[in-house]
Amino acid sequence: MGETEPKAWAADIEPLLKFGLGSSQARKKQPSCSDMALIASQRIIQAAFFAYNAANQREQLHSALFKALCVLESGIQLNDSSFLLKLYAIRVYLYLSCYERAQTIYDTLSIKHVQQDTLGHLIIGHGMALGCFASDMEFCYNGVTFYDRFRSKMPRDIEAVYQQGTYSNVQDFLELQSNIVHSVQRECTHRYALRGEGFEYGNAKETLTRWEEADVSSIEHTEQTLSALHDNRDVLVMGLLTPKDMAQWDLELLTRSTPMPGHDWIQAFSLVPQVMHYLVCADNESLQEKLSELTLVVDNTSGTLSRQDVLLVRGIIDV
C-alpha cells in the first residue's frame, strides 16, 4: 500500500482486537473494549478502501469489509447496547448488499420519535435499491406515521406549554415543528413510499386506478420550496473517529451504498408520480410539461441520483 497514514493506522489493529475482543475486560463487557473494537473495525474499513480502490479490486475490497464485519459482529455479541458498533455494521452490510442483516440490526436500535427524522436515512430506501420492497415499505410507513402524528400532536404540545406558563419554550417548539414539517427526510420518506406503492407488483387495473386517482398537486415542488427544506439527517456520527486532516477517509462517505438523496432526487421522484398520473389521465399538455421538467432534472443532477434512479427515470421518460 505504500507508506501512508492509513497503513500506519492498520499497523496496530492486532492489539486493539486483542483488548477489544479477547481480554478479560471484554468478557466483563467494559465500554472501553467496545471502543477498541470500533476503532479496529474503522481502521480495517479505511485501509480496505485505500488498498483496493480500483474497479477490478472489488472482490478484495468486499473480502476485507467482511473481515471488518466479523469484528463488528463480535463486538456486538459482547456488548449488544453499543449503538456505534451497530451503526457501522448496518452501513457495511448495506454496502455489501446484505439488506436482511442490516434490517435486523437496525430494528434493535429502537429508533423512536425525532430519531425517525435524523436516522431514518440509514435504512429507508436501501431495500428498494436491492429489490426488498416489502420490508422497505414497512420502514416507510413507520416514518410517514411519525410525521403525520408529529404534525397533529404539535398544536397540543404548544397549548400545554402555554398552560404550564413556560413561555420561553414556545419558540423552540415552533422551530422544531418547522424543522420536522419541512424536513428533507420527510420528503424522501414520502417519495419512497409513493415509489414503492406505485411500482409494486400487482393487479394492473388497480395500479392504473391508483395513478388516476392520485392527488399529485400536493407533492409539487419549486426551487423555493426545495430550498426551504431542513436537512436534519445525522451524517456526523460515522465520522467521529476520523481526523480532520483525513477527511477523504470519512467512513460516512466511504460506506455509502448509494448517493444520499438531495433536492434533485426529491424533485425527480415528485415529478415521476405526476408524469404517471397525467399519462393515465391522458392529459397530454400537463404530461409534456412534467416530462420536460423531469428531463431537465435528470440531465443536470448534482450526484444525488444513483445509476439505478437515473435508469428508472430515463425509462419512464422514454416510455
Side-chain angles (χ1 to χ4, degrees):
M1 292 192 297
E3 294 301 325
T4 64
E5 198 67 23
K7 181 179 179 180
W9 279 18
D12 58 358
I13 287 176
E14 186 174 347
L16 288 172
L17 291 176
K18 185 175 181 180
F19 179 78
L21 301 178
S23 64
S24 59
Q25 292 93 328
R27 289 188 289 274
K28 294 176 183 177
K29 300 184 178 182
Q30 291 189 7
S32 59
C33 296
S34 295
D35 294 340
M36 294 302 103
L38 182 68
I39 294 172
S41 64
Q42 180 200 31
R43 295 184 178 183
I44 293 172
I45 295 168
Q46 289 173 316
F49 274 100
F50 177 81
Y52 308 120
N53 55 19
N56 63 350
Q57 294 179 309
R58 301 292 291 178
E59 185 175 338
Q60 294 98 314
L61 173 62
H62 291 175
S63 177
L65 292 179
F66 273 114
K67 292 177 182 177
L69 281 171
C70 290
V71 174
L72 290 165
E73 288 282 16
S74 298
I76 292 170
Q77 188 173 9
L78 288 170
N79 182 7
D80 187 61
S81 63
S82 175
F83 183 88
L84 282 177
L85 283 173
K86 293 180 178 181
L87 178 61
Y88 274 55
I90 290 168
R91 290 300 293 259
V92 178
Y93 272 122
L94 289 175
Y95 189 89
L96 295 171
S97 303
C98 301
Y99 178 74
E100 289 188 4
R101 181 55 184 160
Q103 175 194 352
T104 300
I105 296 176
Y106 184 85
D107 284 338
T108 68
L109 295 178
S110 300
I111 300 299
K112 295 184 178 70
H113 308 304
V114 177
Q115 286 181 316
Q116 295 266 17
D117 189 57
T118 58
L119 297 173
H121 68 94
L122 293 173
I123 197 73
I124 290 176
H126 293 281
M128 293 184 192
L130 298 170
C132 303
F133 276 79
S135 300
D136 212 344
M137 287 299 291
E138 185 177 346
F139 285 119
C140 289
Y141 288 143
N142 288 339
V144 170
T145 299
F146 156 72
Y147 289 113
D148 290 347
R149 286 179 177 172
F150 179 89
R151 191 164 193 165
S152 63
K153 184 175 176 289
M154 203 65 193
R156 297 196 298 274
D157 290 339
I158 294 175
E159 182 181 356
V161 168
Y162 276 107
Q163 290 176 345
Q164 295 166 8
T166 53
Y167 305 114
S168 60
N169 294 334
V170 173
Q171 185 60 41
D172 293 335
F173 270 98
L174 292 174
E175 186 175 334
L176 176 63
Q177 182 182 38
S178 177
N179 287 345
I180 300 298
V181 171
H182 303 101
S183 159
V184 167
Q185 184 58 33
R186 177 182 180 273
E187 294 297 303
C188 291
T189 301
H190 276 267
R191 298 309 175 270
Y192 275 123
L194 282 174
R195 179 176 176 175
E197 290 178 342
F199 295 101
E200 66 181 346
Y201 178 79
N203 183 281
K205 186 176 180 180
E206 292 179 359
T207 301
L208 291 174
T209 301
R210 189 184 301 128
W211 283 122
E212 184 177 6
E213 296 176 349
D215 176 18
V216 295
S217 62
S218 62
I219 60 172
E220 291 187 1
H221 267 298
T222 64
E223 289 187 12
Q224 289 72 27
T225 59
L226 286 170
S227 63
L229 295 176
H230 296 268
D231 194 348
N232 309 314
R233 296 172 294 185
D234 188 348
V235 297
L236 298 178
V237 65
M238 283 290 293
L240 286 178
L241 304 177
T242 304
K244 292 182 179 180
D245 61 346
M246 295 187 66
Q248 71 273 30
W249 303 110
D250 188 329
L251 287 181
E252 199 287 315
L253 296 175
L254 290 177
T255 59
R256 285 186 184 180
S257 56
T258 60
M260 180 170 282
H263 290 177
D264 293 348
W265 189 95
I266 294 171
Q267 182 67 299
F269 286 97
S270 297
L271 286 166
V272 166
Q274 297 174 59
V275 167
M276 298 302 294
H277 171 73
Y278 294 127
L279 176 64
V280 173
C281 294
D283 184 343
N284 290 328
E285 183 178 350
S286 298
L287 175 61
Q288 292 305 317
E289 177 186 346
K290 297 304 176 183
L291 279 173
S292 297
E293 292 181 29
L294 186 57
T295 302
L296 189 63
V297 171
V298 76
D299 284 346
N300 296 280
T301 180
S302 58
T304 66
L305 291 171
S306 68
R307 280 183 282 186
Q308 186 185 62
D309 293 330
V310 172
L311 183 63
L312 173 60
V313 173
R314 290 202 182 278
I316 292 171
I317 293 171
D318 292 340
V319 170

